[in-house]
Amino acid sequence: MKTWYSEITFSTKKRREVVDLTDEVLAEVRKSGIKNGLLVVQLPHATSALVLNEGERGVMHDLLQKLEDLIPTREGYEHDRIDDNAHAHLKSAIVGSSRVLPVVGGRVIRGTWQNFLVIEEDGPRTRRLAVFVMGE
Ligand code: ZN
């Protein structure tokens, strides 16, 4: 069995935004040379989240808006006593920061409208997305 590890470094430009890293993730899987196995994508951050969804401007806006409805930026959270990003921690916690997908015949198995979207909730900053592929 082979393994492959790499990190995609990217910069976010706003406090809250959605970044589509689909091309970058698929390029890493191609580089791995692994045709059958598992892809693990992990965002090693506590104030952003990773989803598989449509990379369309409206969906991206709606994701941000619905998360804000559920967890408003200002709500008197405990963590805001020492930091100003409690909302971002909470959003990251409920959405999650990693995904596992099958790789079959050199292709990542995902839906047509399942792009790799990073939801930034505490930008702007430099982020990393870890890509691990195992298989043969
Ligand atoms: Zn914090």
Side-chain angles (χ1 to χ4, degrees), residues 79 83 85 89:
H79 181 61
D83 208 347
N85 61 1
H89 286 275

Side-chain angles (χ1 to χ4, degrees), residues 39-81:
L39 162 67
V40 181
V41 279
Q42 149 70 355
L43 196 56
H45 303 286
T47 56
S48 54
L50 179 67
V51 297
L52 295 172
N53 220 292
E54 186 172 354
E56 185 271 330
R57 194 192 58 77
V59 171
M60 291 170 159
H61 172 86
D62 293 340
L63 281 167
L64 290 172
Q65 187 57 54
K66 184 49 70 178
L67 282 173
E68 186 64 20
D69 292 346
L70 294 169
I71 303 171
T73 298
R74 293 275 169 257
E75 194 89 323
Y77 305 107
E78 282 288 300
H79 181 61
D80 285 339
R81 289 176 300 115

